[in-house]
Amino acid sequence: MIIKKLVFSGVQPSGNLHLGNYLGALKNFVELQKSADCIYCVVDLHAITTFQEPKKLRNNILETTASFIAAGLDPKKSIIFNQSAVSGHAELAWILNCVSRIGWLNRMTQFKDKVGSDKEKASVGLYIYPNLMAADILLYKATHVPVGADQKQHLELSRDIALKFNKDFNCPDFFPLPEPLIPKNISRVMSLRDGTKKMSKSEESDYSRINLKDSADEIKKKIKKAKSDSAPIPDNLSSLEKKPEAFNLLNIFSELSSINLDKLINEMSGKEYSAVKNDLADLLISQICPVGKEIEKLMGDETYLLKILKNGAEKAQLKAEENLKKIREKVGLI
Ligand code: AMP
Ligand code: TRP
């Protein structure tokens, strides 16, 4: 059976998007528009698994939409919408809650990392969040899912859920098994303060990340303050990898400059990190600041952003309803 490539991915509207979202996800989203049908979703139902102040949430949904467009997504080519506008996501999530197993969810490391020792107080939504993610993807029978490395385990769960559904309801090829598309070189951008933690919106210190909306001055300051190493840049990758913060800086440099990491190490070995930091800040300013400025500009035109979401939701709704009809039939619902 030939299955047409269909791309789906989602980003949570939980505040400032950062360099990790940009290099791990958005850049890839934009590239994929050239070769495939793509659906990109602002996953607001995922965001409310932890409490969101309603006014802020509304603003963050619009800002994430603006970030999609500012990064280069084209609403004429791709379907762009917010998850809660298509009720099929919640409906299929319920059906998949009944397919997915508690044992599978208990293995999800992101849930464990997020709740720490306070599991009893976490929302039920946060626990079953990966089932909703599976519903997002399977609702459209998406075949490819561009994400950062942190989402790999959730994607594997989506595949397990698809497989079990196909087996339970005796329809072997019904849901395609979604393939993760994880960037090869920089799948995980790390915090500028601690190279063992991923760059994240929820990290307390703003110095740990480069936000898409940061000014040139903020970027310069953050890169200057970023942890590196007191020894000069080594001449081989395995020594560099032992210094996670330094490795992260060069990895970002390599990605933004399109210079292969080995070649970069060759060119830079023996130099102090301070010398590299100036060039890295310049690269970030030239590639990130234009995106940030475009986000600010788009945020001034709420009507335009709402129109993109409405048009996108209408297109997504048609596809979702067509698939849901078949899903309900398979399950035996009337
Ligand atoms: P989120 O903001 O958690 O909804 O993530 C949106 C997308 O950005 C997902 O595909 C994540 O895997 C990706 N992402 C988030 N943080 C990072 C990071 N530090 N490095 C690489 N990708 C990331
Ligand atoms: N869980 C993803 C994250 O936090 C966001 C997400 C929700 C997603 N649904 C998705 C990503 C479907 C890819 C496909 O980054």
Side-chain angles (χ1 to χ4, degrees):
M1 197 172 64
I2 298 168
I3 301 176
K4 197 168 176 270
K5 188 167 170 181
L6 178 63
V7 169
F8 182 97
S9 196
V11 175
Q12 292 192 60
S14 35
N16 266 338
L17 293 198
H18 52 72
L19 186 69
N21 299 125
Y22 185 69
L23 297 180
L26 291 179
K27 248 180 116 178
N28 230 357
F29 293 4
V30 174
E31 197 51 36
L32 283 160
Q33 277 188 133
K34 295 182 190 152
S35 59
D37 289 338
C38 301
I39 306 177
Y40 296 119
C41 185
V42 179
V43 289
D44 45 11
L45 297 176
H46 276 96
I48 60 169
T49 55
T50 55
F51 182 76
Q52 305 291 322
E53 213 275 299
K55 280 204 188 98
K56 272 197 199 146
L57 176 63
R58 185 178 190 282
N59 192 64
N60 286 342
I61 294 170
L62 294 174
E63 192 171 296
T64 306
T65 311
S67 307
F68 279 5
I69 308 293
L73 290 185
D74 178 354
K76 289 197 193 80
K77 286 194 195 141
S78 301
I79 298 181
I80 295 169
F81 73 110
N82 61 312
Q83 190 183 27
S84 61
V86 176
S87 58
H89 289 256
E91 182 179 343
L92 181 56
W94 180 258
I95 294 176
L96 299 185
N97 282 340
C98 303
V99 174
S100 181
R101 304 289 95 180
I102 291 176
W104 298 353
L105 288 178
N106 285 343
R107 284 196 284 275
M108 295 297 115
T109 54
Q110 186 170 300
F111 177 75
K112 290 184 207 167
D113 291 346
K114 274 199 179 166
V115 301
S117 54
D118 224 358
K119 195 167 136 203
E120 298 287 313
K121 290 206 178 115
S123 76
V124 176
L126 189 65
Y127 181 60
I128 57 174
Y129 167 122
N131 295 344
L132 177 60
M133 179 162 163
D136 298 338
I137 300 165
L138 300 180
L139 183 59
Y140 303 95
K141 298 195 173 181
T143 58
H144 292 81
V145 183
V147 280
D150 60 323
Q151 295 301 314
K152 191 164 178 267
Q153 194 186 33
H154 288 160
L155 246 294
E156 280 158 8
L157 182 85
S158 298
R159 290 167 67 91
D160 288 341
I161 292 175
L163 255 179
K164 185 161 168 19
F165 183 101
N166 292 351
K167 190 163 155 278
D168 287 355
F169 297 103
N170 199 18
C171 46
D173 296 320
F174 186 73
F175 284 130
L177 304 188
E179 294 274 349
L181 296 174
I182 297 175
K184 272 195 202 79
N185 300 325
I186 190 150
S187 60
R188 201 183 285 273
V189 178
M190 308 311 274
S191 154
L192 301 178
R193 312 293 293 159
D194 176 352
T196 63
K197 281 195 195 154
K198 70 169 181 178
M199 186 177 283
S200 147
K201 294 173 210 173
S202 51
E203 173 78 38
E204 211 174 302
S205 166
D206 201 47
Y207 276 95
S208 68
R209 63 186 160 257
I210 303 290
N211 303 307
L212 297 185
K213 288 197 310 183
D214 280 347
S215 67
D217 273 355
E218 280 166 326
I219 292 179
K220 269 190 208 149
K221 257 193 237 153
K222 286 178 177 180
I223 293 299
K224 199 168 169 204
K225 278 205 156 196
K227 261 194 174 175
S228 54
D229 190 25
S230 50
I233 298 176
D235 60 5
N236 64 81
L237 186 59
S238 55
S239 305
L240 181 66
E241 276 171 346
K242 292 188 188 109
K243 312 281 180 171
E245 290 86 9
F247 174 61
N248 186 42
L249 289 181
L250 286 198
N251 216 359
I252 297 172
F253 196 119
S254 156
E255 183 63 23
L256 295 175
S257 62
S258 306
I259 303 172
N260 163 296
L261 188 55
D262 283 321
K263 190 165 170 239
L264 193 65
I265 294 171
N266 255 334
E267 279 174 17
M268 305 268 189
S269 80
K271 286 193 188 171
E272 299 295 327
Y273 285 92
S274 53
V276 178
K277 281 181 168 185
N278 287 333
D279 291 346
L280 176 57
D282 287 343
L283 275 172
L284 284 163
I285 290 166
S286 69
Q287 296 187 31
I288 296 302
C289 288
V291 178
K293 288 198 182 114
E294 190 59 22
I295 297 175
E296 304 270 14
K297 195 174 133 212
L298 288 163
M299 284 302 280
D301 193 351
E302 189 175 308
T303 316
Y304 173 65
L305 295 172
L306 288 171
K307 198 169 122 211
I308 290 176
L309 290 176
K310 184 164 176 281
N311 287 345
E314 280 166 7
K315 291 185 210 156
Q317 171 71 23
L318 286 177
K319 290 182 188 290
E321 195 43 49
E322 194 185 316
N323 284 332
L324 259 179
K325 205 168 149 240
K326 294 184 195 132
I327 295 166
R328 290 188 200 106
E329 263 168 36
K330 291 285 172 215
V331 177
L333 301 168
I334 296 175

